[in-house]
Amino acid sequence: MIAAPGTEPTTAASGAGRTEPILAVDGLRKTFGRGRKEAVAVDGISFELHEGGSLGIVGESGSGKTTTARMLIGLEQPTAGRILVDGSDLTRPARRIKDLRARGRLIQIVFQDPYTSLDRRQKVGDCLGEVVRLHFGLSGSALNGRVRELGELVGLQERQLRALPRELSGGQRQRVAIARALAAEPKILILDEAVSALDVSIQAQILNLLADIREQRGVSYVFISHDLAVIRQITDTAIVMRHGQVVEQGQTANVLDSPQDPYTRLLRDSVPHAGWQPGTVK
Ligand SMILES: Nc1ncnc2c1ncn2[C@@H]1O[C@H](COP(=O)(O)OP(=O)(O)OP(=O)(O)O)[C@@H](O)[C@H]1O
Ligand SMILES: [Mg+2]
């Protein structure tokens, strides 16, 4: 089980004693509309993520996954509840530029379709440079060096850094989106269906890349996907959402192999996938 607030976390390094979670979400809620038109998108969810950990969020379409992600990065104001990142209270979206930047250095997101969020007229390297300059005030050769380093980190060559987004493949563009998110050196990276639009072989490359980056940089992931095989590969704990609520949570293998909740069983059995074999334990 993922530790509830006030209990012992099972994902903490053994013997190292208690560690504070890098992300603690408590009673998070979001409603849209008012009165009779009020719709509850996220209905009081709580979970924790430990430093260097990877938490999966699964659930059917409309269960509140993206709304949760949007609250975490401050694109949406929670109706109730609390978001703590590395001890800072990020429940309210930042209003001042200074606070926005500080939030950006804690938590970043990669969405499914990077094309819509990349500036079509800006070369990839310039796009990365802009983020580095904004957060770290680098310029000249130090800036260029950092941009090349980011390119290397995600497997983009110099030639691709000089290209426009439309000159790149979908997989390369997603590498750009990951590099841009990492340019701020956040503690947490949220990936919302970030590999869902990619071919299976490209998907595998990006998943391996993400695993390497987590190991190298110690960045923590919140990984949202409807693909249980992907969740199994890239996360160590998982929560299952349904109608805005958490219906199950725990170690990913336990959640997927022996789901306690009837809904999780349904979800698992209704998603046939080449990577899924009943009873396999990772
Ligand atoms: N801005 C909004 N205004 C009104 N309702 C919204 C808004 N954003 C989301 N919702 C509603 O909140 C619910 C949860 O949506 P959300 O996008 O979080 O689901 P999801 O789990 O990410 O689904 P999917 O797997 O399809 O991406 C849905 O019923 C959706 O219609
Ligand atoms: Mg979504």
Side-chain angles (χ1 to χ4, degrees):
M1 286 294 290
I2 293 173
T7 63
E8 199 65 19
T10 50
T11 48
S14 59
R18 250 205 97 142
T19 53
E20 283 304 313
I22 194 77
L23 171 66
V25 167
D26 188 23
L28 199 62
R29 180 177 168 87
K30 180 71 188 178
T31 59
F32 292 105
R34 284 169 184 273
R36 286 176 57 197
K37 288 194 173 158
E38 187 185 77
V40 184
V42 176
D43 193 8
I45 65 169
S46 303
F47 59 85
E48 287 185 353
L49 169 63
H50 287 270
E51 192 156 17
S54 177
L55 170 86
I57 304 183
V58 293
E60 64 186 357
S61 183
S63 58
K65 305 182 298 294
T66 296
T67 305
T68 300
R70 289 173 59 85
M71 287 191 279
L72 294 181
I73 53 162
L75 279 175
E76 211 77 76
Q77 160 114 45
T79 310
R82 209 153 77 114
I83 300 167
L84 283 182
V85 177
D86 203 17
S88 303
D89 192 329
L90 296 191
T91 307
R92 297 182 160 278
R95 293 191 189 280
R96 294 178 304 174
I97 290 288
K98 182 171 126 289
D99 297 335
L100 268 174
R101 282 188 197 161
R103 190 177 190 127
R105 281 194 295 275
L106 287 174
I107 189 159
Q108 287 281 334
I109 193 162
V110 175
F111 287 110
Q112 176 166 354
D113 178 13
Y115 205 42
T116 51
S117 60
L118 293 173
D119 183 339
R120 289 155 196 261
R121 291 152 307 177
Q122 194 176 37
K123 288 181 185 167
V124 164
D126 295 342
C127 163
L128 299 180
E130 203 171 84
V131 183
V132 173
R133 197 176 321 118
L134 177 76
H135 285 289
F136 303 104
L138 296 184
S139 59
S141 60
L143 180 66
N144 292 338
R146 181 66 189 131
V147 167
R148 265 201 307 276
E149 211 174 276
L150 281 164
E152 271 165 34
L153 182 66
V154 300
L156 288 172
Q157 294 158 4
E158 300 254 354
R159 188 167 50 84
Q160 290 153 350
L161 292 177
R162 286 194 300 272
L164 291 168
R166 72 171 136 81
E167 297 166 327
L168 300 178
S169 70
Q172 288 166 342
R173 277 202 289 270
Q174 204 52 300
R175 288 174 195 264
V176 175
I178 292 168
R180 187 177 55 175
L182 292 173
E185 297 180 24
K187 301 215 177 246
I188 300 169
L189 184 59
I190 304 177
L191 300 123
D192 187 355
E193 302 285 1
V195 298
S196 307
L198 305 172
D199 289 353
V200 174
S201 66
I202 308 294
Q203 200 175 75
Q205 286 174 16
I206 301 283
L207 289 174
N208 285 336
L209 174 73
L210 287 169
D212 289 347
I213 289 172
R214 176 155 80 110
E215 212 172 278
Q216 276 178 37
R217 303 286 156 128
V219 52
S220 312
Y221 294 158
V222 174
F223 200 97
I224 299 172
S225 179
H226 63 269
D227 187 332
L228 299 186
V230 167
I231 289 289
R232 179 184 291 272
Q233 186 182 338
I234 196 88
T235 71
D236 31 60
T237 57
I239 65 176
V240 180
M241 288 185 71
R242 187 190 187 199
H243 299 326
Q245 296 179 340
V246 173
V247 293
E248 187 144 15
Q249 59 184 304
Q251 300 293 321
T252 302
N254 291 344
V255 169
L256 299 185
D257 288 332
S258 27
Q260 300 303 305
D261 186 87
Y263 169 71
T264 314
R265 282 205 291 272
L266 195 70
L267 188 74
R268 187 191 71 178
D269 297 340
S270 64
V271 189
H273 190 285
W276 162 251
Q277 283 159 7
T280 35
V281 178
K282 200 183 160 190

